[in-house]
Amino acid sequence: MRGQVFPERAHPSPQPSPARERARVAALKRHCLDLVARGGGSETRAWPLCLALLALLLAILPAQAGQLDRAAIEKNFPPPLVVGEKDAALPIWPILKQQAGAYEVFAYAFESVDLAPIPGFGGTPPDLLIALAPDGTFRDVKVITHREPVFLEGLGSEPLFAFVEQYAGLSAKQAIRVGRPNARAAGAAPQTTVDGISMATASTRVINQSILASALAVARGKLGFGAGNVGLTVRAKPDLYEPLSLPDLLARGWVKRLTVTNADATAAFKGTGTEASGDGPPDAILTDLYVAYLNAPTIGRNLLGQARFDALMRELGPDNHAVMVLSAGPVDAPENPVGERFVLGAVPDRLAIGQGGLIVGARDMAVERRDAGQAEGLPAGNWTILRIDQAAGFDPSAPWALTETIVRERGQILSEKIARTFSVETALPEDLFTRVKPEDGPSWTDPWRARAPELAALAVMLAVLVPVLARQRGLVADQRRFTAFRLAFLAVTLGFVGWYGQAQLSIVTLVGLVRAATATHDFTFLLYDPPSLVLWAFALAALVAWGRGTFCGWLCPFGALQEFVALLGRPLRIRQVTVPPGLDRALRHVKYVLLAGILVAAAVGSPLADSLSEAEPFKTAITLYFVRSWPFVAYAAGLLVLNLFVYKGFCRYLCPLGASLALLGQVRILDWIPRRAECGSPCQLCKVRCRYGAIAPSGRVDYAECFQCMDCVTIIHDPAQCVPQVLARKRQRRTTPRSVVVA
């Protein structure tokens, strides 16, 4: 039933919020609007107080929890599977399957949000229904709900559904990594790698962490193994060899012997009516098994001989394990688990290897039995070599046990099978092995390592930008060279930061922060997208020094796209429209109202936050390369066309991210744009040239609306453009006396 446990795959739907919380936030919203109304023209001072009040609410909102009741679980596990009683200690449901007249646990079903509520980039944890087998193998994974922005009205949920289907058959004991798209086809290990999704790398890593963390919580609490050995590789030291005889190996406990006599079996089956099934005296041997872990050369070479041991290691492959079981008991005894009826290459039905309370998958290797080169003194008899794959999480340096099952029947018409197990434990010394620990650090360190080259290039990019902007009398003062530099930098922003690096900052991140504060108070989801986080850090630092303009004017990919589109206006002979001052002031308030609506909707858990966030065209134009349904493409394209007539109209009037940066930019400590006494009176050149309308008639710079294009800085440092300097130079020429030549 691999990958087919769940009969259907539902599309995610947002989880409704309690009415009481909606009412409380609605009251807060009304209070915020009252503050703004009373503030008159000081909206940028009133909004920070409003948002601070909103933040106080976040701490008292309830955390998200699972939403499936028994009926919903039964719908996902239809007959012949049976849903048992919910566990008293953990929020898990045992899923039972009838086997040989009795019910056995087929899987444990649980919701990831109950055990590992890791916020995604929508701010709330994805909720996944996971079916985990008793041996730690994923039966299936299904998406219940999610708010990952890249999938909502973007790529669609189908790629996400296909992504989680890859986990069926993988083991929670392995450190599963998210690779690049088609990583498996390119040679990545299929038992430890799942194919990622282009344009959704960070979201899939959050999903992966949610699946593994919740599964390991169940494994620790229910299955008997924990996170400590996940990804751990234990190898026998290949050069550690000591010639030993079989009695020596038995004396050290490196080869174990499991002997079951008639008396042992009679005691085990006492009270079942099958005690007398064995023939012969009480001390007669039913089964006599020798058990040995072969990877360690001191054991394997001594038992098999050098040539056969080398051949076995080559056939076994790296990091897999081999266990030999040899039967020295009666060959024709029905209880002999490796007798004549043993099927080569099969999983032995009466032998099992267990560790930590779990059965470890082991299969006969079907190696050549003749001329095996067994050690002198090893008893003759049928034998098998069981292969344990590395994905099983087997640790030979820790105690493990071989278990033999003996089955007897009672009754002749409706016979009943009764089973009893006998086991022997092996504990090998740790100095026979090397333990290769998984890479240190939590799962979010993976994208930082994977994207190290991109981060290095981004760091160089920012390192180039800062001194150019800081040294105003350098490159900035040369209009021709600075214009070329700016266009080249914006091209890198659009191509590298945006379309290649997928590091377009968005209001979606703030929505995620609000929802994370509401649900889990866990903000580690930010760490799964390193380039965006670095840009956020830089943009926030720049707010303190320069204000909003550093990001909006230099590092926003969609802003760069608008500037390149605006260059088409001149050859197309499109003249910019001047928005009347009164209308301009009114339109600038729209982005603040939109910002407040988005954050309030996010705080109450409303899906309206996702809808309002679509006011940003970033997902369509940058993240998805305009490959999206036509309404979104038409909207993004319409904003670019609007940009031909109203320069960066979206940025100035609609961008909620720009509104948030403008508010945070109130902490700016520098008035870094140089001004002269003549600025505003009488000179209006900078005001006229400012395409953003960020310079008042008085000459004052409105830093909340400044996009740091540096045009005014270039003008004020250019003696050929700055009107006061031009006039001063003319006056100087008029007052300088001319030399008189006397004949």
Side-chain angles (χ1 to χ4, degrees), residues 48 200 302 588 630:
N302 283 314
R588 290 181 190 272
W630 73 265

Side-chain angles (χ1 to χ4, degrees), residues 126-180:
D127 194 8
L128 305 144
L129 179 58
I130 300 171
L132 189 68
D135 65 354
T137 301
F138 291 103
R139 297 285 192 190
D140 210 347
V141 180
K142 172 185 175 181
V143 178
I144 302 175
T145 61
H146 76 89
R147 280 179 174 151
E148 291 305 292
V150 71
F151 297 112
L152 293 175
E153 298 295 341
L155 296 173
S157 294
E158 290 304 323
L160 179 57
F161 297 159
F163 172 77
V164 300
E165 286 176 359
Q166 298 178 87
Y167 288 84
L170 302 184
S171 175
K173 296 180 180 180
Q174 294 293 107
I176 301 173
R177 308 291 186 187
V178 178
R180 296 183 178 275

Side-chain angles (χ1 to χ4, degrees), residues 1 5-6 70 72-86 92-98 103-110 129-134 139:
M1 299 185 70
V5 176
F6 302 133
R70 185 184 187 88
I73 294 291
E74 289 176 340
K75 182 179 179 182
N76 284 283
F77 297 94
L81 299 176
V82 177
V83 179
E85 294 299 322
K86 192 173 185 179
I92 60 176
W93 299 83
I95 309 302
L96 309 176
K97 183 180 181 182
Q98 193 169 18
Y103 283 101
E104 296 181 354
V105 175
F106 172 74
Y108 291 100
F110 52 92
L129 179 58
I130 300 171
L132 189 68
R139 297 285 192 190

Side-chain angles (χ1 to χ4, degrees), residues 29-43:
K29 182 179 179 181
R30 288 194 299 271
H31 183 57
C32 288
L33 294 176
D34 290 343
L35 280 175
V36 174
R38 290 196 298 269
S42 58
E43 289 87 349

Side-chain angles (χ1 to χ4, degrees), residues 504-567:
Q504 168 77 65
L505 302 192
S506 170
I507 192 62
V508 170
T509 303
L510 298 186
V511 170
L513 289 172
V514 172
R515 284 176 171 164
T518 302
T520 63
H521 306 287
D522 183 356
F523 305 99
T524 55
F525 71 94
L526 296 170
L527 299 172
Y528 287 87
D529 189 3
S532 294
L533 185 59
V534 169
L535 276 180
W536 271 112
F538 181 84
L540 293 176
L543 286 175
V544 177
W546 293 316
R548 164 194 183 182
T550 306
F551 171 76
C552 294
W554 290 89
L555 296 171
C556 176
F558 187 74
L561 179 60
Q562 289 183 95
E563 293 210 27
F564 286 120
V565 170
L567 295 177

Side-chain angles (χ1 to χ4, degrees), residues 18 32 95 173 179 203 329 345 427 472 484 558 614 684 696 730 738:
C32 288
I95 309 302
K173 296 180 180 180
S203 290
Q472 297 182 5
F558 187 74
E614 291 293 347
Q684 295 286 317
K730 288 182 178 179
R738 297 179 181 179

